[in-house]
Amino acid sequence: MREAAALPLAVITAWEGLVDRAGVRAGHKVLVHGGAGGVGSVAVQVAAAKGAEVFATVSAARMPVVRRLGAVPIDYTSVPVERYVAEHTGGVGFDIVFDTVGGPVLDASFEAVHTYTGHVVSALGWGTHALAPLSFRGATYSGVFTLLPMLTGQGREHHGDILREAAALVDDGKLRPLLDGTRYTLADVADAHRSVENGTANGKVVVDIEP
């Protein structure tokens, strides 16, 4: 049940970005920023299930995690953008870059995407960003705001479609959420929020509600 609770928001976010916006498919090279995070780990698996070749930026300590999920890990702390773009794409850039981090990582995404046909997707696209690097590459950008259908009702049925397809991937063993190992209850929910805010959570944080 903890895994079931962790999946919906993460999988809808990943699906809207990779499938609905970017049209991920076999033959694509996909870069996921934050591949060991709650949304990033799901995005890695969704892209892999669609037949894409997946790469993910991650800290050195978390590289084995994304490797097990099916992605080629890239240590963002030691490998600059131009180097991993040259090494993994021959310098042309990734077909899809999925940003789950925001800030300077979104700026780096504009420099890592494929010229002309590439697509950058971000779930954290707020802030001030220079679009020139993206424009010079002739690539495109989409933002993902998963809560919009929940708030307005518009497009909410599509969330059901996504979850049905995600459930099939779970049944096939192609999708499993990465859960943070700490157990929280409503009594210490503030600690759960802090773990997300300060970046110490490893995967999705789940709060157990006990009767």
Side-chain angles (χ1 to χ4, degrees), residues 25 89 105-106 118 139 150 168 204 207:
R25 64 178 185 274
T89 74
V105 175
L106 178 53
M150 300 180 189
K204 291 293 290 183
V207 176

Side-chain angles (χ1 to χ4, degrees), residues 11-25 28 30-32 39-40 42-48 50 52 54 96-99 119 121 144:
V11 77
I12 289 171
T13 303
W15 197 281
E16 285 187 346
L18 290 171
V19 180
D20 295 345
R21 305 287 195 278
V24 64
R25 64 178 185 274
H28 276 162
V30 176
L31 174 65
V32 177
V39 174
V42 171
V44 165
Q45 295 174 81
V46 168
K50 291 293 183 179
V54 189
I96 301 169
V97 181
F98 192 99
D99 163 43
H119 196 98
V121 183
V144 175

Side-chain angles (χ1 to χ4, degrees), residues 13 37 43 52 55 65 69-71 93 108 111 118 121-123 133 157 159 166 169 180 188 196 199:
T13 303
F55 304 81
V65 174
L69 295 175
E111 299 177 7
V121 183
S122 180
E157 289 183 1
H159 281 187
L169 292 180
D180 182 77
D188 44 28
V196 175

Side-chain angles (χ1 to χ4, degrees), residues 27-97:
H28 276 162
K29 285 192 174 186
V30 176
L31 174 65
V32 177
H33 285 303
V39 174
S41 59
V42 171
V44 165
Q45 295 174 81
V46 168
K50 291 293 183 179
E53 184 180 3
V54 189
F55 304 81
T57 59
V58 67
S59 65
R62 305 292 286 167
M63 291 176 75
V65 174
V66 298
R67 191 177 285 113
R68 287 196 299 270
L69 295 175
V72 176
I74 299 171
D75 182 0
Y76 71 89
T77 66
S78 63
V79 183
V81 176
E82 59 272 14
R83 180 172 150 195
Y84 64 69
V85 168
E87 180 179 350
H88 297 298
T89 74
V92 300
F94 296 90
D95 298 293
I96 301 169
V97 181

Side-chain angles (χ1 to χ4, degrees), residues 129-155:
H129 299 274
L131 294 178
L134 184 71
S135 298
F136 290 154
R137 299 182 81 85
T140 54
Y141 168 81
S142 290
V144 175
F145 184 43
T146 303
L147 292 178
L148 191 60
M150 300 180 189
L151 296 172
T152 68
Q154 184 177 359

